[in-house]
Amino acid sequence: MALTGLERALTILSRRAQVLARNLANANTPAYIRHDVPFYKIMKAALDKNSLPPIVAQPDYSSPVRADGNNTSPERELSALSETALLYRTTLQLAAKEIAQLRSAIFEGRR
């Protein structure tokens, strides 16, 4: 994956982390409906079209709703945040390797 693809992945994951953090912050807000950014769907579209589509947080109506109308679960949000952080760290590591390879190619034979 080229650096452009990695940059797009980091952008999508960063937005997803923001949305999940907002869900967690609103875990006790009556009538709050959780949202999520479908990372894999948006990333596939970004790779297929070779451009970053709009990153839209979509409401999640599939989760059970509590008596106060809120459908967030701190456990689910923390789990999703952990997954997002892991993907983000992995993507950063891939970007670092890509940059190291480019640097090596640029400076090859100049030392």
Side-chain angles (χ1 to χ4, degrees):
M1 186 182 307
L3 277 176
T4 305
L6 295 171
E7 179 184 0
R8 290 176 186 152
L10 291 172
T11 300
I12 298 164
L13 289 166
S14 177
R15 178 70 179 122
R16 183 172 193 235
Q18 291 170 351
V19 169
L20 294 171
R22 185 177 64 216
N23 289 343
L24 193 55
N26 285 289
N28 293 319
T29 303
Y32 181 82
I33 300 298
R34 79 176 298 273
H35 290 72
D36 201 351
V37 172
F39 171 72
Y40 296 104
K41 179 180 174 184
I42 295 173
M43 191 66 210
K44 182 177 180 337
L47 293 173
D48 289 348
K49 297 177 183 177
N50 203 22
S51 66
L52 188 61
I55 304 171
V56 179
Q58 300 174 354
D60 176 11
Y61 296 109
S62 66
S63 301
V65 178
R66 299 188 314 243
D68 66 356
N70 187 312
N71 72 342
T72 61
S73 161
E75 294 82 12
R76 180 181 51 229
E77 303 311 324
L78 289 172
S79 175
L81 274 168
S82 293
E83 174 194 25
T84 301
L86 179 63
L87 288 168
Y88 195 91
R89 277 193 307 268
T90 302
T91 305
L92 278 178
Q93 289 172 345
L94 289 171
K97 285 185 180 187
E98 188 78 22
I99 290 168
Q101 287 177 344
L102 290 171
R103 178 174 284 196
S104 176
I106 290 169
F107 294 111
E108 176 109 4
R110 293 188 184 183
R111 295 180 190 205

